[in-house]
Amino acid sequence: MNNNAEIFYDFLNGFLSPDYLPEELQNIPDLFSPDQPCSKELDIIYQKRSELIEKGVPESDLDVIFDGFERIMREIGGKMYFLGTRQSQCTSSAFQETTVPV
């Protein structure tokens, strides 16, 4: 990922404080702030993780799973960032017609 993609990804995933965002990214909402969807989901994930550890699942096994999903999300996030910036720079109507609506 390029530097802007990395900053964008880290912020959207709650790894970076809004104070460190470049000016052009200042208006992006923090999805991990209290009562936001990602914050609620993260609470559920960590609760279930704790329950699995209490049931005897080794924490190292869970770390492998979490780290693997983190690497997958980072790859997908980088590709989405690249495609989004490419689309915003593209003026071809043919390209815009072939994109998937969000």
Side-chain angles (χ1 to χ4, degrees):
M1 273 194 262
N2 71 32
N3 193 40
N4 281 343
E6 194 75 29
I7 291 169
F8 189 71
Y9 178 86
D10 286 344
F11 172 69
L12 287 179
N13 283 284
F15 304 136
L16 185 65
S17 165
D19 300 335
Y20 294 99
L21 288 178
E23 187 175 327
E24 63 269 17
L25 299 178
Q26 288 290 329
N27 293 327
I28 297 171
D30 179 0
L31 300 176
F32 286 87
S33 62
D35 298 326
Q36 290 298 312
C38 292
S39 178
K40 292 175 184 178
E41 291 299 324
L42 197 58
D43 289 344
I44 293 168
I45 289 168
Y46 279 108
Q47 177 61 41
K48 291 299 177 185
R49 185 179 194 276
S50 294
E51 290 173 13
L52 288 170
I53 292 169
E54 287 176 16
K55 291 179 180 180
V57 175
E59 191 170 355
S60 59
D61 288 353
L62 295 173
D63 288 342
V64 169
I65 295 168
F66 277 73
D67 292 348
F69 276 117
E70 168 64 23
R71 287 189 298 275
I72 290 169
M73 291 183 335
R74 190 169 289 275
E75 288 295 320
I76 291 170
K79 182 61 77 174
M80 291 174 71
Y81 182 88
F82 170 76
L83 293 172
T85 56
R86 187 174 112 190
Q87 180 182 4
S88 69
Q89 296 170 353
C90 183
T91 59
S92 166
S93 61
F95 176 79
Q96 292 179 3
E97 289 172 7
T98 60
T99 59
V100 177
V102 182

